[in-house]
Amino acid sequence: MTKKLLLVDDEKSVLESLQRVLRPARHDWETTCADRAEAAWDLLCRSEFDAVVTDVKMPGMSGLELLRRIRQSDDTRDLPVVVLTGLTDHDLKRRALELGASDLFNKPVDRGELTARLQNALEWKDRQDQMKAQLDRLREERRRQDAAFARRRLADVCRLAAAAEYRDETMGNHVVRVAYYSRAVAAELGLEEPFLEAILLAAPLHDIGKIGIPDAILRKPGPLTPGERAVMQRHCVIGHQILTDQSPVVAMLSADCPDLLHREAPYDPVVELAASIALTHHEGYNGQGYPLGLSGTQIPLASRIVALCDVFDALISPRPYKGPLPEEKALKVLEAESASHFDPAVHQAFVRALPAVRAIRERFDGPAADFWNMPGDDA
């Protein structure tokens, strides 16, 4: 492939001399001339070149300023630049090297030496271009893998949350609403987009542990006895075990097949967040919750957010043992529990997010099928 060289000098005789020097390589190198650095910069902004040979002392913009602009631009910063000068100013040469000159020559140039050094510079640029192309291919492949992983992760989250919902069909889109409420509250708290995405995906699994609760307790139409309540509270630990591969079944199988079970178990921050929420979303800000008795900021922020959103949606939704509360009364319950059961800052953010919460409630006030119909692994 023909290489494009840009020759820059304010003296026409020098440009003609450079073209004569490079003429033996004219089948491989195409030369373009500019008699001012400003004109050269304009050409570089409009066209692609493989190397620049420039004088230093020129009217207007100097060769050093041209070099500085080349190195500061994302489009040209890797372009080889050979600096020519008839000066013996060593400080000027030092400045050229500090600005990123690829090579320095005193005028008049030696034909063989200039050709050889330009060839080296062009070969270096070829290697740089090849590495960049390879890096771009790797980035694109990583992007495709990340997108595929995100689709699989979302499908897995939906399947797990749907499994919990099927155990308690009266809950409808409860976990979906809690997820979207939680994201809205997190946004009001000023949290960044990665956290908003993570809590949206993790929150639906907050009650995954209810899979392990007997139907007689899970669907009981009346109040639970103290013993039944203790069993119900175990869903936090069960959910954490499910999401962290700590279930007894996994433990027994791991003893005989450790490599098979853990060969491909990459770290997933969303699953880790879901496990944390499952374990701690019933902790109380005043330390009176369960199962660990955590208080204040000992409770993960995501769990403090989900805890309030979970209670709000439970209050305004029908259950086998109660009817729904009007929103006004539910909000009064949350206010009364702020600073005792709920984080006050989370409660204030929830109040600010009420317009979004109401829109979410209206959007997901039907059967759960709409949300669970998510694309599968091949989508």
Side-chain angles (χ1 to χ4, degrees):
M1 180 183 294
T2 302
K3 301 296 183 182
K4 296 179 64 176
L5 307 183
L6 178 60
L7 311 179
V8 189
D9 200 296
D10 60 313
E11 296 184 29
K12 183 178 179 180
S13 60
V14 173
L15 291 175
E16 291 174 346
S17 174
L18 287 172
Q19 287 183 304
R20 286 195 301 272
V21 167
L22 299 174
R23 185 167 294 136
R26 62 184 178 276
H27 298 298
D28 299 318
W29 298 350
E30 174 188 330
T31 58
T32 300
C33 295
D35 60 2
R36 292 178 299 109
E38 292 87 349
W41 178 244
D42 184 60
L43 285 169
L44 288 168
C45 291
R46 291 187 289 107
S47 304
E48 290 187 5
F49 289 88
D50 296 291
V52 175
V53 179
T54 182
D55 188 19
V56 174
K57 296 283 287 185
M58 292 180 285
M61 183 192 301
S62 71
L64 292 184
E65 173 61 19
L66 174 63
L67 174 59
R68 186 186 64 80
R69 291 193 184 188
I70 289 172
R71 290 294 175 253
Q72 289 182 344
S73 170
D74 290 338
D75 295 330
T76 60
R77 64 177 46 176
D78 294 326
L79 194 64
V81 178
V82 175
V83 174
L84 303 180
T85 177
L87 303 174
T88 57
D89 187 339
H90 295 292
D91 183 62
L92 183 147
K93 292 180 179 180
R94 177 186 57 79
R95 286 162 53 205
L97 291 172
E98 288 175 348
L99 286 170
S102 305
D103 213 337
L104 295 170
F105 279 93
N106 286 322
K107 297 177 184 176
V109 298
D110 178 86
R111 171 184 295 179
E113 188 176 4
L114 177 61
T115 302
R117 293 200 186 184
L118 275 175
Q119 183 64 48
N120 288 338
L122 290 168
E123 289 176 356
W124 176 86
K125 185 176 184 297
D126 280 343
R127 290 193 294 271
Q128 291 292 105
D129 290 344
Q130 290 168 9
M131 286 190 290
K132 284 184 179 179
Q134 177 66 12
L135 183 59
D136 287 343
R137 287 193 293 270
L138 290 173
R139 285 174 175 163
E140 176 60 22
E141 178 61 25
R142 177 61 183 270
R143 187 198 65 77
R144 287 196 297 267
Q145 291 176 354
D146 287 348
F149 176 73
R151 289 194 298 270
R152 289 194 298 271
R153 180 175 65 182
L154 181 56
D156 290 343
V157 166
C158 292
R159 291 187 189 109
L160 281 170
E165 288 292 271
Y166 283 132
R167 291 294 318 285
D168 190 358
E169 64 233 10
T170 62
M171 293 176 69
N173 268 335
H174 167 70
V175 297
V176 183
R177 291 191 295 268
V178 169
Y180 278 94
Y181 296 162
S182 298
R183 183 175 69 171
V185 172
E188 284 295 334
L189 287 169
L191 299 173
E192 296 183 354
E193 186 61 34
F195 185 91
L196 305 187
E197 177 185 331
I199 200 169
L200 178 69
L201 292 175
L205 300 178
H206 68 277
D207 276 338
I208 186 66
K210 288 184 176 179
I211 290 175
I213 304 303
D215 285 350
I217 296 176
L218 189 64
R219 302 186 181 187
K220 185 176 180 178
L224 300 178
T225 68
E228 290 169 338
R229 188 173 296 107
V231 173
M232 176 65 84
Q233 290 178 356
R234 290 186 59 244
H235 80 275
C236 297
V237 174
I238 294 171
H240 185 260
Q241 290 175 338
I242 290 172
L243 294 169
T244 55
D245 289 338
Q246 294 180 16
S247 71
V249 172
V250 172
M252 287 186 288
L253 293 176
S254 295
D256 290 328
C257 307
D259 293 336
L260 181 62
L261 284 175
H262 299 290
R263 186 172 299 156
E264 294 185 3
Y267 167 76
D268 187 342
V270 170
V271 174
E272 181 176 282
L273 182 64
S276 173
I277 292 172
L279 181 64
T280 59
H281 71 285
H282 280 294
E283 299 290 345
Y285 198 71
N286 59 3
Q288 299 301 306
Y290 63 87
L292 304 177
L294 303 179
S295 65
T297 55
Q298 291 177 326
I299 307 167
L301 177 58
S303 297
R304 283 178 265 153
I305 294 171
V306 171
L308 187 144
C309 295
D310 183 28
V311 170
F312 172 76
D313 197 73
L315 289 172
I316 63 173
S317 302
R319 290 291 185 266
Y321 51 88
K322 74 168 190 69
L325 279 183
E327 181 188 284
E328 182 181 356
K329 289 188 176 181
L331 292 175
K332 287 182 178 179
V333 172
L334 298 186
E335 184 177 2
E337 294 292 326
S338 178
S340 57
H341 188 70
F342 303 119
D343 181 341
V346 171
H347 174 253
Q348 292 167 11
F350 179 85
V351 172
R352 295 194 300 271
L354 268 175
V357 167
R358 291 176 180 132
I360 292 164
R361 176 72 188 180
E362 182 177 356
R363 177 184 175 189
F364 295 111
D365 198 24
D370 291 343
F371 183 78
W372 305 133
N373 263 340
M374 299 304 295
D377 294 354
D378 297 328

